Amino acid sequence: MVQISVGPDPPLRARVTQTLRRKCGCRLPDFGMAAAGARWNHVWIGTETGILKGVNLQRKQAANFTAAGQPRREEAVSTLCWGAGGETQILVGCADWTVRHFSTEEGRFQGQRHCPGGEGTFRGLAQVDGTLITCVDSGILRVWGDNDKETSSGPLLELRVGPGVCRMRQDPVHPHVVATGGKENALKVWDLQGSEEPVFRAKNVRNDWLDLRVPIWDQDIQFLPESQKLVTCTGYHQVRVYDPASPQRRPVLEATYGEYPLTAMTLTPGGNSVIVGNTHGQLAEIDLRQGRLLGCLKGLAGSVRGLQCHPSKPLLASCGLDRILRVHRIRNPRGLEHKVYLKSQLNCLLLSGRDNWEDEPQEPQDPSKVPLEDTEADELWASLEAAAKRKLPDLERTPGALQTRKRNKKRPGSTSP
Amino acid sequence: MEEAGDKSGGSRKKGLKRKAATEELQEAAVVEDGATESGVQPRKVAAFPPGFSTSEIKNKQRRHLMFTRWKQQQRKEKLAAKKKLKKEREALGDKAPPKPIPKTIDNQRVYDETTVDPNDEEVAYDEATDEFASYFNRQTSPKILITTSDRPHGRTVRLCEQLSTVIPNSHVYYRRGLALKKIIPQCIARDFTDLIVINEDRKTPKILLAVPHEVEFVRRGKDPTEHIPEIILNNFTTRLGHSIGRMFASLFPHNPQFIGRQVATFHNQRDYIFFRFHRYIFKSEKKVGIQELGPRFTLKLRSLQKGTFDSKYGEYEWVHKPREMDTSRRKFHL
């Protein structure tokens, strides 16, 4: 005898209708579904065609979000960073010197601000206390005030960092401290609340064995937690650790990997090693205590443009010019977890740092969702409920409750076509 | 190794029944003696212990004999099976089930997730705005510079010349010790749109950014005329394949002159790109005659770089990694 639980509770109904919906082959319109589920996306990626992609690895879905509805190459996303308030807002830096705000709760772009000044694309984006920090290729670092005020008022603070900037990174522990570095532009650490001069200015290493000056090309910078140290990776395949607390301005540790420029870098959970990627698509984990190679990750075929590790789980998301997002597991065992083909060239990514990767609580019945339930599902439910009533006639209270519930659901549903 | 056939092997070379009746533990020599003695007696078939295969026979000639006998039997069985199947098909006539399709590596190709869907808008936009878009929009016409590595040999020089006749609007220049990186800005200044470098490896020409495996010169007297050929691009299905296909298409001007009846074909099969150049003539509605002109070569993609050529510091869109990508025989990237 089939036991049908009397009085199905809303979560069960939601789950069943979802299954029915899937089985019936009817789908919610993509935008609605994408927007509704945007907050659960695990990875956000910016592309060269101006599309922001949100990928949900549990449901294995990728959704496109554009500000204008159409992809535009002029809006190529060059940097991404989390906005204020946890991970509910994303700041998208585009190639046309605008910074757009995207809300993950609502799944759409909310506003934008034009941040002109300098030439070249954004190389770094950060936000602190409601202000926005931008840095462009030509070395102009600007702090922009609140969005509510007129944008024509100009930047609150402007610094000249030096030409050829490749990266500007904000210290997660001290949000007013930023570091910049680039091609022939040595690493400099700036305190935006302090003076106009950098707090720490790195010195180049000694001349090499041929007594030639070693060129500088800092491609990516990371702040090491629990200390003042910084790590940089260079276009001349070096990984260097600087310590502003120590008297020497030269790098404290230097390690090399491969023969191709290293383009991206991220810290691993644990803080003892970094993972770097180069233009050939090779990913390597380098230990910072000894400066040796711990291991490599396979799979990428194109230049690595974005790398990020999860703060607690051993997961690494990588994206590159081969248009595929890969999520690797860094340890026990080291290997590929997910691979998603996204059709445009990927420029930068943001990995959600939340812990409940797997749990996705079913969204409660929103009135907006009910019109989209198709009538077949309702009929099926009606027949099921009728069967329930038939099978268990002793419970008199519950049929009434069922009916009222049905009535509640039907009311908004009746307006749908 | 089938043991059913072995058990039936007898001692005599000819005229012995193949099918074994029983399994008896008898030496082959003993049976032979027994057979020669008793010609009148019913033929005894030598049987072998179970689990015995002909490869364990130490005598090479004997072993070879057993093997050839086994092979003949296999062939006979196969022929019989085929005949039987054919008879069945004829008997069924129209109701016969369709012939099974033989499996080939191309058939069994692992589905590539980057295969381009013709209706895909994002890919269409990406292609419409990439670096080759200006050709496809008829805004620029290609002008190609063909050059070689330093001090080319005869074969390379001839290939250059043939290529220049095949590709319209191309010029051959010798590279007298000039660095490629210095050539590139000069090319751009003089409005060259493409550069083909034919490198040499042991005096066989190889083209940069694509490694030809064999180059044959068509030694006919016919030369391609000055007409602009049509282009056929076959089988470039994945996203990478699309990019490469567009790159090849952008080598040729975009107004094929059908009067010339010439066609250049880039055919991709199993990640090798075959280049052929033909002249065709329609003898009737369905019949075409083709005559091959121009060089014939095969290319294999090694890497695709973003931006102009910069092997040290350039960013790669796709790099061929043999140990990672060539693990499956059924997976192809173009």
Side-chain angles (χ1 to χ4, degrees):
Chain A
M1 191 185 98
V2 179
Q3 279 276 339
I4 302 179
S5 66
V6 189
D9 30 330
L12 171 65
R13 188 195 168 114
R15 258 179 275 145
V16 174
T17 37
Q18 209 172 42
T19 332
L20 284 170
R21 223 181 277 139
R22 247 182 278 133
K23 289 212 166 110
C24 299
C26 42
R27 306 240 178 275
L28 290 171
D30 271 351
F31 179 68
M33 188 65 156
R39 70 181 82 182
W40 306 119
N41 284 338
H42 297 109
V43 193
W44 294 94
I45 302 173
T47 63
E48 292 241 334
T49 48
I51 304 174
L52 178 70
K53 291 183 186 264
V55 180
N56 188 323
L57 298 166
Q58 284 303 115
R59 276 188 250 157
K60 306 210 194 285
Q61 281 173 353
N64 284 358
F65 299 99
T66 42
Q70 281 291 318
R72 287 175 63 219
R73 209 163 268 264
E74 299 82 30
E75 293 172 20
V77 177
S78 49
T79 38
L80 286 178
C81 84
W82 292 112
E87 293 183 352
T88 52
Q89 220 193 38
I90 299 180
L91 299 170
V92 181
C94 301
D96 55 355
W97 297 291
T98 54
V99 177
R100 288 162 212 268
H101 299 261
F102 179 82
S103 155
T104 51
E105 303 279 313
E106 291 171 40
R108 56 182 189 86
F109 283 89
Q110 279 177 329
Q112 65 174 52
R113 45 180 317 171
H114 191 59
C115 304
E119 287 160 8
T121 66
F122 288 121
R123 293 291 184 184
L125 203 62
Q127 70 86 32
V128 60
D129 294 342
T131 58
L132 188 68
I133 312 171
T134 60
C135 185
V136 281
D137 204 19
S138 62
I140 306 221
L141 193 151
R142 285 186 167 176
V143 182
W144 302 84
D146 254 342
N147 213 6
D148 299 339
K149 299 188 190 132
E150 286 168 16
T151 45
S152 58
S153 58
L156 295 175
L157 176 65
E158 182 172 322
L159 288 173
R160 280 183 195 277
V161 181
V165 175
C166 286
R167 186 74 70 174
M168 179 204 79
R169 189 75 77 167
Q170 180 192 40
D171 191 352
V173 176
H174 310 283
H176 296 276
V177 173
V178 294
T180 56
K183 189 150 190 169
E184 297 307 325
N185 188 344
L187 176 70
K188 295 184 185 88
V189 181
W190 306 84
D191 188 349
L192 297 170
Q193 285 174 331
S195 67
E196 295 257 327
E197 288 296 312
V199 170
F200 172 74
R201 191 195 285 265
K203 195 170 169 183
N204 196 6
V205 293
R206 291 203 169 87
N207 288 352
D208 61 10
W209 62 291
L210 291 169
D211 201 23
L212 293 169
R213 176 187 172 270
V214 177
I216 304 174
W217 187 2
D218 286 324
Q219 288 257 37
D220 202 350
I221 309 168
Q222 287 281 352
F223 283 84
L224 284 175
E226 293 156 17
S227 72
Q228 279 189 315
K229 293 194 211 165
L230 298 114
V231 198
T232 56
C233 71
T234 69
Y236 300 108
H237 43 87
Q238 299 145 336
V239 177
R240 292 174 169 161
V241 178
Y242 294 87
D243 194 352
S246 74
Q248 73 173 33
R249 283 166 56 203
R250 290 205 164 114
V252 166
L253 179 77
E254 183 171 311
T256 55
Y257 170 69
E259 348 166 297
Y260 297 100
L262 304 173
T263 48
M265 184 167 71
T266 181
L267 299 167
T268 50
N272 289 324
S273 57
V274 286
I275 299 191
V276 291
N278 66 7
T279 54
H280 248 226
Q282 294 161 341
L283 293 175
E285 188 174 351
I286 296 182
D287 187 277
L288 292 175
R289 295 174 287 191
Q290 291 185 317
R292 65 185 186 94
L293 178 69
L294 288 178
C296 292
L297 293 161
K298 303 201 288 192
L300 272 94
S303 170
V304 179
R305 282 279 176 100
L307 272 185
Q308 194 171 350
C309 256
H310 193 273
S312 50
K313 298 189 210 221
L315 292 175
L316 169 79
S318 59
C319 73
L321 290 182
D322 61 347
R323 305 165 214 261
I324 297 181
L325 165 75
R326 286 181 175 86
V327 177
H328 291 261
R329 182 167 283 274
I330 313 171
R331 57 183 78 106
N332 33 298
R334 192 181 269 140
L336 185 67
E337 284 257 322
H338 301 105
K339 186 169 125 172
V340 186
Y341 170 60
L342 304 162
K343 301 155 198 156
S344 313
Q345 289 176 346
L346 312 171
N347 244 344
C348 42
L349 63 83
L350 270 184
L351 185 62
S352 147
R354 66 174 200 261
D355 276 327
N356 57 334
W357 206 269
E358 281 79 19
D359 300 330
E360 277 186 46
Q362 282 292 329
E363 279 138 30
Q365 292 284 317
D366 305 22
S368 58
K369 264 203 172 183
V370 175
L372 297 162
E373 281 178 13
D374 60 340
T375 45
E376 295 166 23
D378 274 335
E379 280 161 13
L380 209 60
W381 262 118
S383 63
L384 267 178
E385 281 165 0
K389 270 187 277 177
R390 251 186 289 119
K391 291 239 170 185
L392 301 150
D394 43 335
L395 296 152
E396 270 138 2
R397 199 165 37 95
T398 35
L402 276 172
Q403 279 190 342
T404 46
R405 224 174 265 150
K406 226 174 63 173
R407 239 184 283 129
N408 281 340
K409 296 296 173 289
K410 278 283 189 193
R411 223 191 297 124
S414 59
T415 56
S416 64
Chain B
M1 191 78 156
E2 304 297 310
E3 267 129 85
D6 305 333
K7 283 182 234 151
S8 60
S11 50
R12 283 204 208 139
K13 279 197 180 181
K14 309 169 201 176
L16 280 175
K17 292 211 169 69
R18 298 285 172 81
K19 311 284 179 207
T22 48
E23 284 180 4
E24 297 155 22
L25 276 166
Q26 280 186 8
E27 295 277 324
V30 171
V31 174
E32 201 169 28
D33 290 340
T36 43
E37 281 174 8
S38 53
V40 187
Q41 279 173 20
R43 292 183 196 147
K44 274 191 218 162
V45 278
F48 297 88
F52 182 85
S53 77
T54 46
S55 57
E56 288 171 14
I57 302 177
K58 295 302 178 183
N59 183 339
K60 185 170 180 173
Q61 283 182 342
R62 182 84 193 145
R63 189 171 65 232
H64 181 68
L65 177 81
M66 301 296 266
F67 177 71
T68 35
R69 209 184 280 159
W70 175 81
K71 247 332 208 186
Q72 282 166 4
Q73 191 201 356
Q74 292 291 97
R75 235 178 280 145
K76 245 198 183 180
E77 282 174 11
K78 191 173 172 187
L79 207 62
K82 261 196 189 169
K83 270 194 179 169
K84 186 175 157 204
L85 202 63
K86 193 170 176 192
K87 261 195 193 165
E88 280 174 15
R89 286 189 78 89
E90 278 172 18
L92 282 176
D94 282 333
K95 286 177 280 181
K99 277 191 174 173
I101 312 168
K103 283 191 205 173
T104 62
I105 290 188
D106 298 305
N107 275 349
Q108 309 292 98
R109 178 176 176 174
V110 164
Y111 173 69
D112 198 332
E113 59 190 354
T114 60
T115 309
V116 175
D117 180 21
N119 302 329
D120 200 322
E121 297 169 345
E122 198 179 328
V123 175
Y125 178 77
D126 202 9
E127 292 195 338
T129 49
D130 69 355
E131 47 230 1
F132 303 117
S134 54
Y135 290 112
F136 290 93
N137 293 338
R138 316 271 173 116
Q139 280 162 13
T140 47
S141 169
K143 188 172 169 192
I144 302 174
L145 178 70
I146 304 179
T147 184
T148 66
S149 56
D150 211 19
R151 299 192 138 256
H153 282 87
R155 288 180 75 168
T156 315
V157 170
R158 265 181 288 148
L159 176 66
C160 284
E161 283 168 22
Q162 286 204 328
L163 263 185
S164 62
T165 49
V166 162
I167 306 176
N169 208 6
S170 60
H171 308 264
V172 182
Y173 284 94
Y174 291 115
R175 185 139 72 98
R176 298 206 191 90
L178 297 166
L180 265 182
K181 288 209 193 143
K182 293 198 183 129
I183 296 180
I184 290 174
Q186 286 208 358
C187 281
I188 298 174
R190 286 175 207 207
D191 278 336
F192 276 102
T193 50
D194 295 284
L195 173 69
I196 301 181
V197 179
I198 302 184
N199 227 345
E200 279 201 355
D201 180 33
R202 289 186 291 168
K203 299 182 197 151
T204 49
K206 293 197 193 306
I207 300 182
L208 194 68
L209 280 186
V211 180
H213 277 239
E214 90 243 1
V215 177
E216 278 174 47
F217 302 103
V218 179
R219 302 176 195 289
R220 303 262 170 77
K222 310 286 179 191
D223 285 315
T225 62
E226 287 298 313
H227 292 114
I228 297 175
E230 303 154 47
I231 312 164
I232 297 180
L233 294 164
N234 263 344
N235 216 9
F236 289 94
T237 48
T238 65
R239 186 72 188 81
L240 179 67
H242 259 238
S243 311
I244 302 292
R246 282 167 71 83
M247 187 183 84
F248 284 126
S250 66
L251 285 179
F252 294 86
H254 275 267
N255 41 341
Q257 291 168 329
F258 297 98
I259 317 171
R261 285 182 284 118
Q262 292 180 113
V263 59
T265 309
F266 290 93
H267 175 88
N268 168 39
Q269 191 157 346
R270 298 196 197 174
D271 281 353
Y272 286 90
I273 303 169
F274 300 92
F275 173 80
R276 300 283 183 273
F277 197 81
H278 298 277
R279 180 183 288 143
Y280 61 88
I281 179 161
F282 277 102
K283 293 178 194 158
S284 69
E285 264 290 321
K286 303 254 169 106
K287 275 191 175 178
V288 190
I290 52 175
Q291 185 184 45
E292 188 164 353
L293 330 161
R296 163 204 277 207
F297 49 85
T298 321
L299 307 166
K300 188 172 160 108
L301 182 69
R302 233 199 221 160
S303 66
L304 180 63
Q305 228 175 23
K306 195 173 170 74
T308 53
F309 172 68
D310 190 348
S311 64
K312 229 172 151 192
Y313 303 124
E315 288 201 338
Y316 285 86
E317 237 188 81
W318 189 84
V319 167
H320 179 71
K321 297 185 179 175
R323 298 199 75 175
E324 282 179 37
M325 294 182 184
D326 286 348
T327 42
S328 165
R329 294 183 75 176
R330 286 173 222 98
K331 180 152 180 61
F332 305 112
H333 308 281
L334 280 185

